[in-house]
Amino acid sequence: EISPDPAVGAYVNFGLWLAVDDPGPVSATAAVGPVWETITATYSASTWDMGTGGEPFSCDGLGTPIVDTDTAEEGPCGFTYENPSAPRFTGGGLAYEASVTGTWTISWVDYTGATGSLDRLSRVTEFDYRVREIQTVGVAD
């Protein structure tokens, strides 16, 4: 979830609010007779690459969905583009190639009561994000 939505895009120097919809814990149990084991994955962090060539940045947990739609400031898990995605005078149409990598923490419990954890699991979602620039012309009085 990005505000403004990727389908709409954003403007230079207007802050974005970044968040991932809460998938909740995801569990699976396998059993053979009285022997069973349950594995649970919990979403733990997001790493955002906004497609500008800068360093990706991480947000703990899900990030922060926008709470104040009247603000131009970026959210606590946010980003502000400093340049449009298409150079001026090209007719536009170009977008930043951005991505978010979701990291999951994996734990397990078995029929004996033993518990443990597995290596973290990451999944990448890519998206295009168009950023436009608003320019004004001042007129002397």
Side-chain angles (χ1 to χ4, degrees), residues 103-127:
T103 302
W104 297 75
T105 302
I106 315 287
S107 62
W108 59 268
V109 60
D110 71 14
Y111 71 102
T112 67
T115 62
S117 60
L118 302 174
D119 290 340
R120 290 177 176 234
L121 177 70
S122 296
R123 291 291 181 256
V124 178
T125 300
E126 297 174 341
F127 56 96

Side-chain angles (χ1 to χ4, degrees), residues 14-125:
F14 282 82
L16 303 179
W17 290 61
L18 308 173
V20 175
D21 287 334
D22 187 357
V26 179
S27 294
T29 300
V32 176
V35 178
W36 59 268
E37 185 165 15
T38 298
I39 295 177
T40 302
T42 304
Y43 197 92
S44 57
S46 303
T47 301
W48 298 86
D49 181 341
M50 301 309 290
T52 61
E55 287 294 318
F57 60 95
S58 294
C59 299
D60 290 335
L62 302 168
T64 306
I66 192 164
V67 293
D68 181 4
T69 57
D70 292 329
T71 184
E73 300 299 318
E74 67 184 51
C77 176
F79 185 79
T80 300
Y81 282 100
E82 296 177 358
N83 296 295
S85 54
R88 240 174 28 185
F89 310 118
T90 65
L94 301 177
Y96 286 106
E97 295 175 0
S99 66
V100 59
T101 302
T103 302
W104 297 75
T105 302
I106 315 287
S107 62
W108 59 268
V109 60
D110 71 14
Y111 71 102
T112 67
T115 62
S117 60
L118 302 174
D119 290 340
R120 290 177 176 234
L121 177 70
S122 296
R123 291 291 181 256
V124 178
T125 300

